[in-house]
Amino acid sequence: MDLDLALVRAFAATAGTLHFGRAAEELNTSQQALSKRIARLEELLGVRLFERRGGIRLSEAGERFLPAACEALAAGERAVAAVTGAGPVVRIDTWGHLYAPMRTVAEAVAALGAVRCQPGPGRDWPSVAQALLRGDTDLGFGRVHPLPDGQDAGLTQRLVRLEPVDAVVGPSHPLAGADALRPADLQGSVLWCPAELDRLDFMRRFADEFRITRRHDGPNLGLDHLAQHLRTDPEGFTVFPADAPLPDHMGLRCVPLVEPTPLYAWSLAWRESSRHPLLDTLLRGFTEAGRTRRWLEYEPRRDWLPDTDHPKLAVS
């Protein structure tokens, strides 16, 4: 069968956002047109690529299809560039999609104006690390943490942003009216996690550090699904990067965390043995954007980072 890249692009955008509306906006199309493209692709492949019960998530077939779909889109971009002379495209796989990683990448690219990027959705840091080592992508962007058994051997990383984290609670939470909270104030609340906790290194370390023992995790069913739980649970909260977008129709309250302020570390990662020709240019864009927006401010007496993030400060 012949794959229509427009259908594959619709799938990849939806897999990256796990939200039909946001994927449609990203592709500058209607949600109805996007849904029809995905339905057509599923019909051609003879499988369901998404589970649509109580939200949206990739099916097992969708998980298997995603890496090859991203590779096909990147190959299409390279083919067009080879003919048009448009120059190389850098493939960037992102993860931590509920925290909107592409907003940071977009600001860095905007500081340059000359880099052509092909973003791709990664499931998590371990899967993106494997894609980098296989050569299936050029760069990874998200929160990097040590992987067991040397799974990240051969990869290099650069810390590019430290983002303050807020507590997010529903309108009926007893702390919803606070102007600021200490992490210790949340010990009696239930930490709602947007995915399985063993996949959320930052959230797990945060909960352990501040002795938050009541935790609820599960499959990643999207931001609206998480927000709905927070809105209806008077004891629930989650932590969320301060500048990341939240649904504005749920009545959620974002409360700054202080004494200390947790920081979420965003990093670029790549395979040193196959550096992309645009890597240094892109790193310069992150440096310029970070200097203007003060992305790397860190004061040990004021802020908190997991121990595993401290070594990155020395090489940033």
Side-chain angles (χ1 to χ4, degrees):
M1 60 173 291
D2 293 327
L3 272 181
D4 183 338
L5 289 184
L7 306 183
V8 177
R9 189 171 291 107
F11 163 76
T14 307
T17 60
L18 292 178
H19 191 283
F20 286 114
R22 285 192 288 273
E25 291 177 7
E26 181 180 309
L27 296 176
N28 195 28
T29 189
S30 68
Q31 186 169 332
Q32 182 181 24
L34 176 76
S35 297
K36 287 182 176 179
R37 291 177 189 176
I38 292 174
R40 176 58 178 159
L41 181 61
E42 290 179 325
E43 180 184 356
L44 289 171
L45 295 173
V47 296
R48 300 288 287 181
L49 297 172
F50 294 101
E51 301 290 347
R52 298 170 172 85
R53 295 188 299 272
I56 176 175
R57 60 173 175 163
L58 284 168
S59 67
E60 290 186 9
E63 294 274 9
R64 295 193 301 271
F65 184 62
L66 181 57
C70 293
E71 185 178 347
L73 291 172
E77 289 280 349
R78 291 194 298 272
V80 172
V83 173
T84 62
V89 175
V90 58
R91 300 169 295 173
I92 302 180
D93 279 11
T94 63
W95 66 98
H97 300 292
L98 262 65
Y99 294 170
M102 282 305 300
R103 62 197 163 86
T104 299
V105 174
E107 289 191 55
V109 172
L112 298 169
V115 173
R116 299 177 63 240
C117 293
Q118 173 64 61
R123 182 172 184 267
D124 50 23
W125 167 227
S127 64
V128 173
Q130 291 303 305
L132 289 167
L133 291 170
R134 292 193 305 266
D136 293 342
T137 192
D138 303 311
L139 290 173
F141 180 78
R143 183 171 183 276
V144 174
H145 54 87
L147 298 179
D149 303 322
Q151 295 176 37
D152 50 354
L155 300 179
T156 301
Q157 62 170 281
R158 170 79 64 85
L159 177 67
V160 296
R161 183 175 188 178
L162 294 170
E163 187 170 8
V165 167
D166 291 342
V168 180
V169 298
S172 59
H173 193 285
L175 300 175
D179 293 327
L181 292 169
R182 296 172 301 157
D185 295 333
L186 297 164
Q187 288 178 1
S189 297
V190 179
L191 175 61
W192 277 88
C193 306
E196 293 86 352
L197 194 56
D198 60 1
R199 294 178 52 203
L200 302 173
D201 181 81
F202 174 85
M203 196 167 284
R204 178 172 53 81
R205 293 179 186 277
F206 171 87
D208 290 345
E209 175 71 19
F210 298 107
R211 301 178 182 178
I212 298 167
T213 57
R214 301 171 67 195
R215 310 168 186 181
H216 189 285
D217 67 356
N220 184 352
L221 298 178
L223 185 54
D224 284 340
H225 183 263
L226 174 65
Q228 179 65 31
H229 281 297
L230 294 173
R231 190 179 70 83
T232 56
D233 183 357
E235 296 185 300
F237 82 98
T238 194
V239 291
F240 214 77
D243 291 338
L246 277 168
D248 58 5
H249 59 281
M250 292 289 189
L252 300 180
R253 175 92 166 90
C254 296
V255 185
L257 290 174
V258 298
E259 299 179 8
T261 296
L263 300 177
Y264 191 88
W266 297 96
S267 296
L268 276 176
W270 63 90
R271 186 170 57 149
E272 187 61 36
S273 61
S274 58
R275 291 171 64 97
H276 192 278
L278 290 176
L279 174 60
D280 290 338
T281 301
L282 195 57
L283 287 173
R284 187 168 65 252
F286 276 96
T287 299
E288 293 177 4
R291 183 183 301 114
T292 302
R293 296 161 178 79
R294 300 161 69 181
W295 278 350
L296 289 176
E297 286 194 352
Y298 171 67
E299 172 51 60
R301 292 173 295 182
R302 179 194 65 198
D303 304 320
W304 174 81
L305 280 169
D307 291 343
T308 50
D309 289 339
H310 289 173
K312 304 173 191 175
L313 295 171
V315 298
S316 63

